Amino acid sequence: MKDATRLKPTKTFEEKMQDILAFRSEIYGLCALWIIFFHISDRVPVPFSPNIITPLIRMGNCCVDIFLFLSGYCLVLSWEKNFNLTVKSRFAYFYKRRFLRLIPPYIVLSTPFYFWKYMWGFSAPKVDLGEKFNLIGFLGDLSTVNFWLKGMQTTWFVCAILVFYLFFPLLYGICKKHFLVGLSLILACYAALIAMIFLDMNLFWKIGIAVSRIPAFVSGITLAIYRKKINTDSVFYRIIRTLLLCAFIVFVFLFPIKNFALKHFNRFRSPVIWCSYLYFIPGFLLCLKFLFERLPAFLRKAIYMVGGGYFRVVYDSCLYTSSY
């Protein structure tokens, strides 16, 4: 009996990811709530916040990378499922399904905000309020063009994910050529961020928040493409898994120290923190899987409802008051 238990076959990487994806909506919901508390903590002091709770809330920024990683992984599954369609039909189905989920709620939430911003808000004329409505600025923000031209704005996440979705078929084709190609894209993103920091810091502050999230999206795509080829019994896989789990533990317990140590180096603080989120994802997903397997059904259902709707892709758009 003991020998039979010992010889129980190890789950494949694909099966392990399926176990995590079974709680995908719950993960999205928790990440959305975490992001809300992260933004609110910028404007409102956290009550009864000991040294553990505050750093934990401040780690909410990494939930964006978790969402993008799972999005990249699931996009591959959806894309490959429709290989039986013609190329034209596959592209039409893919873009229609993604953009119809994202754009309508974004327009509904963003239009009144940007109208207020350019009519009466901080971007309106200081005299004769409302007489010189900046239509070009309004349309630039609403269309997400201003993010790529002028820099970070409230809805930067939507601006970034639209481009990520738009170029997904191209990224899929590139990463499918070889596993190392996906790794090269990730390294290229880091190289671009380093170049921005030393050559044009203004450019980094404009689009660095989006560029630093590309590695998470590409990682999800690459792992999904090669999910059937990853051998979970190999020594290499176990070494990488151990290193990533150690990185997760170090990240969690040293996050406050990292913030403190880098606070005098503003030029590198955000780049280092943003780029470290990628290595936090595996450990975080395993912890969430462990958590949701043991949560009461009613609580898991409540979190599922948050993550199952439009809220998960427009939560940043709902936080105007806390972001400005």
Side-chain angles (χ1 to χ4, degrees), residues 264-320:
H264 299 299
F265 301 92
N266 290 330
R267 188 181 189 89
F268 303 101
R269 183 177 183 274
S270 291
V272 170
I273 293 176
W274 289 347
C275 292
S276 66
Y277 291 151
L278 175 63
Y279 311 103
F280 175 79
I281 294 174
F284 183 84
L285 290 177
L286 290 175
C287 289
L288 285 184
K289 173 180 173 294
F290 179 85
L291 172 66
F292 287 127
E293 285 175 341
R294 289 157 178 79
L295 272 183
F298 75 93
L299 187 57
R300 193 168 67 243
K301 182 66 175 179
I303 299 175
Y304 174 90
M305 292 175 64
V306 175
Y310 286 128
F311 191 78
R312 68 175 183 264
V313 289
V314 291
Y315 53 76
D316 251 11
S317 304
C318 301
L319 298 169
Y320 299 129

Side-chain angles (χ1 to χ4, degrees), residues 14 17-18 21 24 70-83 93-94 98 168 172 220-221 223-228:
E14 184 177 19
M17 282 302 301
Q18 287 300 325
L21 293 178
R24 183 178 60 172
L70 291 179
S71 292
Y73 192 95
C74 293
L75 286 178
V76 172
L77 302 184
S78 176
W79 183 258
E80 293 180 346
K81 185 173 65 176
N82 296 311
F83 272 165
Y93 176 81
F94 175 82
R98 266 78 217 171
F168 166 77
Y172 175 86
I221 294 173
L223 290 176
I225 291 173
Y226 297 99
R227 64 190 183 278
K228 297 181 183 297

